[in-house]
Amino acid sequence: EMPKWNSPAVPTVEVLAEEGQTVKLELNGLDEVSLITVTAEDGTQKVYELTLEEEKSTYAYLNNIFADYVSIEGFEAEKLEYTIKVPAGKERPVITVENGDYYQKVIEDPIGDVLTLIVYAEAGNTVEYVITFETVYTSNATLAGITLDGEMLDGFTPETTEYNVELPVGTTSLPEIGIISGADGQDTDIVTGDVNGDVVITVTADDGETTMQYTIHFTVLLSKVDTLLDIQVDGNSIEGFDANTFDYTVDLPVGTRTFPVITWTNGDEYQNVTQSEVEVEKDYNKVVTLTVTAQDTTYSNVYTVNLVVEKSSITTLKDIQLDNISLEGFDPEINDYVVELPIGTENNPEVTYT
């Protein structure tokens, strides 16, 4: 049995007539009626009808079957049953065919996981190819990658299940966690915690049984800044301030009794600064200490500001008063005075001074 790819040509028709007869041939195509009109010498006519019928092809086998435009494995024209494995979660491949005969017609009859291709030959006989789609499940529960804000997790390998990630100082939210599946049909569940906590990723293979758990331990780095940006005395930067110089002396004018206000500018927003003061009453001095503790409390520094009131070297008085009356002839540079009191004075005058 051979496939048919085109129609045969209309054969040449020859008519043998008797002497005196005339013949008219009206030849039509295949499967149509052709007329042969014979006229006798006396004018009598006879018409013959001739039908040339084309033989119908009975070839119903295909040349090929394709899955997603690739020939299915093991195809043979007379092999009528095939199984195509489809990974779980994937769509079935597109089935196309290559006819084995120009006049064939192919009808698809899908029922559930089975696709039947009914091939009709020109003559009406049929051949049925049966394709069964088999869902294939895998036990692969490993990931191909984990991303943090779109970047691959440093050091990731599918078999490593625990990771430590340090986040920058001041981080308040976790990076966006991204998943790159290691196999089709995997299901992932992500449980997030705090920025100083764990993110747990549970991967279930498409067999529904095999699982893998990845854990990322996040830690926000603590600031180690334990120095100040500035120290101010009554709002003005202390002269010669340097973040790594910790002792300062501020000289105050003679007679100062109200000390200036000490303020400061933090080195960053995470450190803690405590101020303490000690006054030395007899010297009218004050010691101000600023204890700077970094967010990482193992780092700290202490700044000391000594407020020193200048001591006067003046040893002379401005005035001496006797009963509130300035001593006659008082001169700050004269140290000895004689005061004569009136006869009969019983009490010494009250001596005061400025």
Side-chain angles (χ1 to χ4, degrees):
E1 185 177 11
M2 297 296 292
K4 177 181 175 182
W5 292 104
N6 48 49
S7 296
V10 177
T12 300
V13 177
E14 295 183 356
V15 178
L16 297 177
E18 297 289 341
E19 187 176 351
Q21 292 177 337
T22 59
V23 178
K24 179 182 178 183
L25 177 60
E26 184 182 334
L27 189 60
N28 296 311
L30 296 175
D31 296 326
E32 295 185 16
V33 178
S34 297
L35 301 177
I36 304 172
T37 304
V38 180
T39 304
E41 196 171 14
D42 61 3
T44 304
Q45 288 186 332
K46 186 176 181 62
V47 177
Y48 295 89
E49 293 182 356
L50 175 64
T51 301
L52 300 174
E53 292 185 350
E54 179 181 359
E55 183 181 2
K56 304 295 183 182
S57 172
T58 60
Y59 192 82
Y61 294 111
L62 296 173
N63 270 357
N64 211 338
I65 299 175
F66 304 94
D68 281 343
Y69 311 104
V70 177
S71 180
I72 62 176
E73 186 177 355
F75 177 81
E76 296 176 12
E78 297 184 13
K79 180 181 175 182
L80 303 182
E81 294 188 1
Y82 298 90
T83 298
I84 296 177
K85 295 183 178 181
V86 181
K90 286 287 190 178
E91 292 186 359
R92 293 176 182 176
V94 175
I95 301 298
T96 54
V97 302
E98 179 184 330
N99 287 20
D101 182 292
Y102 180 79
Y103 298 94
Q104 290 174 349
K105 292 183 180 180
V106 181
I107 303 297
E108 294 186 2
D109 182 22
I111 300 177
D113 293 331
V114 177
L115 173 64
T116 302
L117 301 176
I118 306 172
V119 185
Y120 288 85
E122 185 183 27
N125 56 298
T126 63
V127 167
E128 294 185 1
Y129 291 88
V130 178
I131 301 173
T132 301
F133 297 100
E134 179 182 329
T135 302
V136 180
Y137 297 94
T138 71
S139 59
N140 184 357
T142 59
L143 294 176
I146 298 174
T147 60
L148 305 180
D149 284 341
E151 298 293 329
M152 185 66 76
L153 175 61
D154 188 36
F156 177 84
T157 63
E159 294 76 24
T160 302
T161 58
E162 295 217 13
Y163 299 87
N164 295 304
V165 176
E166 293 181 335
L167 300 174
V169 173
T171 298
T172 58
S173 60
L174 289 172
E176 182 179 352
I177 310 297
I179 299 300
I180 303 174
S181 295
D184 292 325
Q186 288 180 341
D187 181 63
T188 56
D189 178 66
I190 303 176
V191 178
T192 60
D194 191 63
V195 288
N196 287 299
D198 296 341
V199 169
V200 179
I201 303 169
T202 303
V203 185
T204 304
D206 64 357
D207 63 6
E209 298 178 356
T210 309
T211 62
M212 177 80 81
Q213 192 173 84
Y214 295 86
T215 302
I216 307 174
H217 307 285
F218 285 99
T219 303
V220 178
L221 291 174
L222 299 177
S223 171
K224 299 177 181 178
V225 178
D226 57 2
T227 55
L228 298 175
L229 290 180
D230 193 22
I231 297 175
Q232 300 91 31
V233 179
D234 274 348
N236 298 311
S237 293
I238 199 167
E239 185 176 354
F241 177 81
D242 182 282
N244 294 307
T245 299
F246 301 101
D247 290 297
Y248 298 89
T249 298
V250 178
D251 293 322
L252 301 175
V254 174
T256 298
R257 293 296 179 264
T258 301
F259 290 101
V261 176
I262 302 300
T263 55
W264 60 90
T265 303
N266 287 43
D268 70 11
E269 61 183 297
Y270 308 107
Q271 62 187 201
N272 180 59
V273 181
T274 57
Q275 177 179 340
S276 63
E277 301 177 351
V278 176
E279 290 191 28
V280 183
E281 292 185 5
K282 70 175 182 176
D283 293 329
Y284 298 105
N285 294 337
K286 179 185 283 190
V287 178
V288 178
T289 58
L290 302 175
T291 303
V292 183
T293 304
Q295 187 183 33
D296 181 343
T297 57
T298 60
Y299 293 83
S300 65
N301 274 309
V302 177
Y303 291 86
T304 301
V305 181
N306 298 287
L307 301 176
V308 179
V309 178
E310 185 179 354
K311 292 178 174 55
S312 173
S313 61
I314 298 174
T315 58
T316 58
L317 296 174
K318 289 183 178 181
D319 194 17
I320 297 175
Q321 299 93 30
L322 301 178
D323 285 340
N324 295 322
I325 298 173
S326 293
L327 178 64
E328 184 178 355
F330 175 80
D331 185 326
E333 301 299 327
I334 297 175
N335 298 328
D336 294 311
Y337 297 89
V338 175
V339 179
E340 294 181 349
L341 300 175
I343 295 172
T345 299
E346 295 182 354
N347 297 314
N348 288 330
E350 181 182 3
V351 179
T352 57
Y353 53 86
T354 55

